[in-house]
Amino acid sequence: MKATILLAEDEQAMREVLTDYFTAKSGGDFTVVSAPDGDTALHLIETRRFDLLLLDIMLPGTDGFALCRAARQQGDAPILFVTAREDEQDKLHGYGLGADDYVVKPFSLAVLYAKALALLRRARGLNAGNTLTAGTLSLDPERGIVTANDRRIDLPPKEFALLRALMERKNRVLTRDELLNLAWGWDFDGTDRVIDGHIKKLRRALGPHADCIKTVVKRGYKLEVDGDENQT
């Protein structure tokens, strides 16, 4: 799997280590474009297309949060914060801006690579399965495409993962913890309330097709489809 990755990191030694590791581990399939400061990274975000962004928060010039916001305005490439800041509010702020994951320094290179690879695979729908349908909605995990009445709906990676989880379990109530595990992974260490914000974004993106996503008070969410036999 070939990918172009933006690495925004002000420590030269860290840039070199990550670039060398990702290049070698991928067998040369990953191209890492590094930026030593936030302003350089911002210019790259605005002028180039990236498949994944690795962002430090504390950068000279434009900080990582502003870069995340700018990246989300440009597209839906996965964003992974790699930073020494481990305060929970920083993490929640990052997730609220659209980040997909958060790794705190010091970290294992192998773990960081695995997280990056998982985000790339998820964004490209490489955890393939058969096309899922629910009412007017259709989701193709292999191509990462969602349509409604044959019209395409573009979703960021997290909203796509949430919709897939709900569609795979039609008419079943999923708790916030279950949705976190399905969309973020078992090692997510933030609050389950981050789900509420992403459900709002998902509903907004689906527009008139969002009525099938129901809030179940004090329990969680479910995708409700009339006449479906797979009910629990």
Side-chain angles (χ1 to χ4, degrees):
M1 174 173 55
K2 294 187 178 297
T4 302
I5 300 170
L6 173 63
L7 170 62
E9 168 61 59
D10 60 332
E11 296 182 18
Q12 181 177 349
M14 181 67 73
R15 291 198 305 274
E16 293 175 353
V17 167
L18 290 178
T19 298
D20 291 345
Y21 187 87
F22 272 64
T23 301
K25 189 74 172 177
S26 68
D29 283 345
F30 288 173
T31 299
V32 180
V33 179
S34 63
D37 57 71
D39 293 342
T40 300
L42 180 61
H43 175 72
L44 289 167
I45 289 170
E46 292 175 341
T47 57
R48 295 188 58 174
R49 178 189 175 279
F50 293 97
D51 300 296
L52 173 71
L53 292 85
L54 303 178
L55 306 178
D56 194 357
I57 293 177
M58 297 180 291
L59 291 166
T62 308
D63 69 17
F65 290 140
L67 292 177
C68 182
R69 188 182 299 109
R72 277 292 162 261
Q73 292 173 350
Q74 297 293 324
D76 57 6
I79 297 172
L80 175 57
F81 277 122
V82 183
T83 177
R85 293 175 62 162
E86 57 181 337
D87 182 77
E88 183 177 278
Q89 291 305 311
D90 284 334
K91 294 182 180 181
L92 293 177
H93 183 52
Y95 287 126
L97 291 173
D100 295 278
D101 210 339
Y102 201 112
V103 174
V104 177
K105 300 175 183 178
F107 53 83
S108 159
L109 287 172
V111 169
L112 177 63
Y113 183 86
K115 284 177 174 285
L117 185 60
L119 288 174
L120 284 168
R121 290 180 62 85
R122 189 179 300 159
R124 296 183 180 184
L126 295 181
N127 298 318
N130 295 326
T131 298
L132 304 171
T133 60
T136 61
L137 292 175
S138 177
L139 183 148
D140 186 333
E142 184 173 359
R143 294 188 296 159
I145 293 175
V146 175
T147 59
N149 291 330
D150 296 324
R151 296 187 64 181
R152 181 164 176 169
I153 299 175
D154 293 321
L155 296 178
K158 279 292 174 284
E159 282 67 44
F160 182 90
L162 284 173
L163 181 60
R164 177 177 179 177
L166 290 163
M167 290 180 69
E168 287 176 335
R169 298 158 182 83
K170 290 182 289 188
N171 293 309
R172 171 185 161 190
V173 178
L174 296 175
T175 67
R176 291 178 178 84
D177 280 339
E178 287 176 315
L179 287 169
L180 276 176
N181 293 333
L182 291 166
W184 271 260
W186 288 97
D187 56 352
F188 176 79
D189 57 1
T191 173
D192 62 4
R193 288 294 171 176
V194 72
I195 288 294
D196 297 340
H198 283 278
I199 288 290
K200 288 180 181 178
K201 293 178 181 178
L202 175 58
R203 284 171 166 159
R204 187 160 52 245
L206 294 178
H209 308 286
D211 291 346
C212 58
I213 300 177
K214 308 295 184 183
T215 300
V216 183
V217 178
K218 296 183 179 180
R219 295 182 64 190
Y221 297 94
K222 71 173 178 177
L223 190 144
E224 188 173 274
V225 182
D226 292 338
D228 190 277
E229 296 179 356
N230 182 30
Q231 300 190 23
T232 59

